[in-house]
């Protein structure tokens, strides 16, 4: 979390505590807001694996006169205060729904895989600036489809994809190259890895050239399928399309 975001989060938590004090003790309304801020002891600690984007979170503990002890978990997006209320997170409709596979892609996958090896839809992802950056040259596969993907991979494939920290960009590492069928039915090769430094699967190597071929922009949607060819090799279908929503 950036320093400015962290400061805004802290101020928001203090405001929540101020509202609670006023609600529980009407006489406290005469207390200056700034004085309450000065009297609140705030401690921050990180929990979980600091190298993991999935597990990284921040816990803020608020102590007022050492009588109350509330713990409010926050994420890098918003503060969440549990008050016996169900928290509803709105899903991006373009990302949530299973897409229709482009016809040319479907035909090429059927040619490669046969009728028995049906493709499995993994995920839709809205393209970010880092996904199309020529300097980063990679696409992270969203972590929510990890269990689906690992149910499809063999034990040997999972072992081969593991790349540890400093070795993730090494040219000498063992690479797992997979065939990619694009939305036009064309074929490409990409490196497929699992970066243990961030606990996520990733496409690398020729990724930048791949997205430039389709003039992919930030805000587009990438649709990803996985399948096996007739020789049981791991393959993927990747299709891009412009977003229906203006960002």
């Amino acid at each position: 979390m950036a320093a400015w975001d962290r400061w805004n989060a802290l101020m928001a938590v203090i405001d929540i505590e101020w509202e609670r004090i006023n609600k529980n003790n009407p006489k406290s309304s005469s207390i200056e807001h700034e004085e309450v801020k000065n009297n609140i002891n705030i401690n921050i600690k990180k929990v979980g694996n600091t190298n993991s984007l999935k597990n990284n979170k921040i816990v803020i503990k608020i102590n007022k006169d050492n009588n109350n002890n509330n713990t409010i978990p926050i994420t890098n997006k918003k503060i969440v205060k549990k008050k016996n209320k169900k928290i509803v997170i709105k899903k991006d409709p373009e990302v949530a729904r299973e897409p229709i596979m482009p016809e040319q892609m479907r035909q090429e996958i059927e040619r490669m895989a046969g009728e028995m090896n049906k493709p499995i839809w993994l995920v839709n992802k809205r393209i970010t600036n880092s996904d199309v950056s020529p300097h980063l040259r990679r696409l992270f596969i969203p972590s929510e489809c990890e269990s689906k993907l690992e149910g499809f991979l063999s034990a040997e494939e999972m072992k081969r994809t593991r790349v540890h920290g400093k070795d993730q960009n090494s040219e000498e590492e063992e690479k797992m190259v997979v065939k990619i069928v694009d939305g036009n039915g064309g074929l490409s090769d990409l490196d497929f890895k699992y970066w243990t430094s961030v606990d996520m699967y990733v496409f690398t190597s020729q990724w930048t050239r791949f997205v430039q071929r389709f003039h992919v922009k930030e805000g587009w949607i990438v649709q990803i399928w996985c399948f096996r060819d007739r020789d049981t090799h791991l393959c993927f279908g990747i299709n891009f399309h412009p977003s229906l929503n203006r960002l």
Side-chain angles (χ1 to χ4, degrees), residues 3-20:
W4 181 249
D5 293 337
R6 181 175 300 184
W7 173 253
N8 287 335
L10 293 177
M11 292 303 98
V13 173
I14 292 175
D15 289 338
I16 292 171
E17 179 67 5
W18 169 249
E19 292 177 3
R20 185 189 63 77

Side-chain angles (χ1 to χ4, degrees), residues 38-69:
N38 292 334
N39 290 334
I40 294 176
N41 179 28
I42 299 176
N43 298 307
I44 303 175
K45 66 176 183 177
K46 277 197 172 185
V47 297
N49 181 0
T50 57
N51 291 324
S52 171
L53 297 181
K54 295 187 301 183
N55 298 328
N56 193 12
K57 60 182 181 180
I58 294 175
V59 172
I60 294 179
K61 289 187 177 179
I62 300 177
N63 299 312
K64 174 65 176 130
D65 295 334
N66 296 324
N67 292 326
N68 298 313
N69 198 357

